[in-house]
Amino acid sequence: MACQLIRIMRPDDANIAGNVHGGTILKMIEEAGAIISTRHCNSQSGEHCVAALARVERTDFLSPMCIGEVAHVSAEITYTSKHSVEVQVNVLSENILTGAKRVTNWATLWYVPLSLKNVDKVLEVPPIQYAWKELEEDGKKRYEEQKLERLVTKQRNGDIIFPVFNPEPYTVGYSQSSLIHLVGPSDCTLHGFVHGGVTMKLMDEVAGIVAARHCKTNIVTASVDAINFHEKIKKGCVITISGRMTFTSNKSMEIEVFVDADPFVDEPKERYRAVSAFFTYVSLSKEGKPVPVPQLVIETEDEKRRFEDGKGRYLQTKAKRQVQMQPLTQQ
Amino acid sequence: MACQLIRIMRPDDANIAGNVHGGTILKMIEEAGAIISTRHCNSQSGEHCVAALARVERTDFLSPMCIGEVAHVSAEITYTSKHSVEVQVNVLSENILTGAKRVTNWATLWYVPLSLKNVDKVLEVPPIQYAWKELEEDGKKRYEEQKLERLVTKQRNGDIIFPVFNPEPYTVGYSQSSLIHLVGPSDCTLHGFVHGGVTMKLMDEVAGIVAARHCKTNIVTASVDAINFHEKIKKGCVITISGRMTFTSNKSMEIEVFVDADPFVDEPKERYRAVSAFFTYVSLSKEGKPVPVPQLVIETEDEKRRFEDGKGRYLQTKAKRQVQMQPLTQQ
Amino acid sequence: MACQLIRIMRPDDANIAGNVHGGTILKMIEEAGAIISTRHCNSQSGEHCVAALARVERTDFLSPMCIGEVAHVSAEITYTSKHSVEVQVNVLSENILTGAKRVTNWATLWYVPLSLKNVDKVLEVPPIQYAWKELEEDGKKRYEEQKLERLVTKQRNGDIIFPVFNPEPYTVGYSQSSLIHLVGPSDCTLHGFVHGGVTMKLMDEVAGIVAARHCKTNIVTASVDAINFHEKIKKGCVITISGRMTFTSNKSMEIEVFVDADPFVDEPKERYRAVSAFFTYVSLSKEGKPVPVPQLVIETEDEKRRFEDGKGRYLQTKAKRQVQMQPLTQQ
């Protein structure tokens, strides 16, 4: 059973040029995903649970959304493993004056059901019915792939962002930014942890500030790499969201974003890395057309390595997109 | 064509006992109504327009909604006159853990299409197709009735609320309250006037404070009488929302709410009465059961007259409800 | 150890002319202060606690901030007494398109650590290390001064604001305003009392409405006098925030603001005065330049006395500022 969210875009959802923040869209996508997967995981009798976001696959923002447009967010469960649910979400943008609709996003999210009695315990997921056997096999393949990738990225997460004094323009230190947020009641589920969508919205906000500082123009989110949620962020934490530029192509910028949680009241736990991801932004002219971005100035060996890694991701995505576009253009 | 809004209820949507504010629900109802009627009025070629709320018919809150539940708000156009659109909206509340759904509201709203070039000009509404001829005739009857009622209430609107010094408990002066609100960008449509839903949410907030001051318990909205929007409220206004108790029955309180707008920046216009309505609240015990409310203490002739009027509305509604309940139980 | 908050300014943070509300800035300052002082007070083993705002020293708004700019709020602990923490905060405004930064505020706040087990119990503060002995001595002097002032202002607090019928333009009664606010979950800390920053934001809102009603132009906060938080405001209260103009100079207006709390659910406690302060506003032309404000019309002896008191504060501040400016211009 599908779940559809509809909402009109307000000035607060957008930047001053009127483009809706990528983070606002990610937050709506996650809300639809959380509703459908929580509903599904409670559809059989047994212990009650809430679905927590574990991973978001790479997501492209195909076309910018504007203030006054109506967003239609549709979610559907496409695969279930023993302990996780895959949800596919698409977002349409409707201009209610002209009636025109555009697809703005497709996204795939993975959720894990946590027991309401003990949010550290993962419950079992009721299986779904597949219309064709192939759908189940394809889902299983996606499941295995993301499981492997989650393991790999968990190890990468020791890195931190050092402040730089008097940085030169266009260097990494020049645009890097950190934001601190005290988790409040309306950021959380009823069960005391932060909604995945709230975290993604803050990540997009930091990435946007880094991008704007670098190129000093109107910027919009073009895509987000896979995001893994390694640990829940609990109520009462202070979270630090840090972003730094890793790579620039001719017309895009890649920004790495980290989320660290400090459980400073109640718990004697240490600060931990909760999430990390890569955001890609493009720079727009006043007419809304993509314009060249200043080249990132590399100063250290680490920055050089990260630039090369970013270039690798850029080329890989470009190649994938060309392959994906072919069947579409042949339709 | 129907329009459905789905949203999960957050701590910010509710009071500290966890009951969603009636105003939050009214705001969602109005958003669904504004989307569907703006879309319909732009469905034919011609001047673009935006639908402005003109009237909400009497609305009952059949069952309270709680934090963590998912609200489903469905809107449908049920009648069109030359210059107005009737929208019917129903609200379901879904507990996604148990799967249980309850109807919480039915509402009927009237919209008027305003030209985008000149928001003081009303445009024509494209006619809808009716499945049966009777539907059109019934709609026309409702249209004529509300038109008449709008005229009548417009005349009632000269009244203001006088402050009282050292009021005795349970008098009208003891609980009456006023709230001022500076209209901000996110309260408004792109075309510079306040969303009807924003106004209704503030009205419910004041009515709730009056009710809580009177009975000092957890209170919830039980119903709202017809609300007429006599004039648009423009960006940059200060609005004053005032509430006073008019009537108490054994287990309910009726509160009259006025909205006055002061167009203080840029314009030399005088303060004007924009909206007025009656809200009915019930008092709940800690277990969520309705409990008796303290009797309102009447001190003046005007208060007595308003009490009698309120009693009239109360008895009329009670009688109507008994009639409406019969066909339902016979179905 | 410092704490830095970074946030982009949104349409909802500002008035319709695009100037960020002083209250929004005060709220961010308080959030940074609450994070750093709660973190410090929990840095030693022992009972866990949360830092509650006790006092904010006089704060100047040196330059207006605009929508789209990035606010940088940096907090540092500068003194600790046995039961209180002094935090100094500065705010920079960055235009991320041009890279230009301006200092917009300096502020000094005092916090008190409350036990998490019993929020009415004040705990001990771990001492900080001072780089020079003089820093500790200066801090101690500031601590003694504020302690004395807190005592004095507590006594002043019996005053209330009386409504006036049909007031003449430019009188005190003409612009005085009251706002009621039902404390909701997101106004509160996790421990059930209202964030100091939320209260200050509401106070600035009322002061802004009084100022706008008086001069009917675009107005901005210029400074806030010392604010003392006499009592915590608990979850479930209704708070009334009232403001009245006390003094006008050629280009500024002073507004006195009171906060009264009605603990109406659960508790039989009486209404109490929680906070009071003086806000100074200036009036701006459409080009953003300060313009003359209409002279306040005095009608009663009390108003005259308050006008003279306000004039005293105005002249004292003016004198202080001239002294402070000297070393700055010589640097």
Side-chain angles (χ1 to χ4, degrees), chain B residues 11-12 14 16 162-163 165 177-180 185-186 209 212-213 216-217 235-236 238 240 262 264 266 271 286, chain C residues 11-12 14 16 162-163 165 177-180 182 185-186 209 212-213 216 235-236 238 240 262 264-266 271 286:
Chain B
D12 256 25
I16 47 167
F162 292 100
F165 298 101
S177 304
S178 282
L179 188 154
I180 44 173
S186 62
I209 290 173
R213 279 186 166 160
K216 298 178 190 304
T217 54
K235 207 159 78 178
V238 169
T240 304
D262 266 309
F264 78 106
D266 295 339
R271 168 186 275 230
K286 282 192 178 157
Chain C
D12 253 27
I16 46 168
F162 292 100
F165 298 100
S177 304
S178 281
L179 188 154
I180 45 173
L182 179 58
S186 63
I209 289 172
R213 279 186 166 160
K216 298 178 191 304
K235 206 157 78 176
V238 169
T240 304
D262 266 308
F264 78 105
V265 175
D266 294 339
R271 168 186 274 229
K286 282 191 180 158

Side-chain angles (χ1 to χ4, degrees), chain B residues 279-291:
Chain B
F279 284 70
T280 300
Y281 270 74
V282 292
S283 166
L284 298 181
S285 68
K286 282 192 178 157
E287 294 72 35
K289 300 274 166 224
V291 290

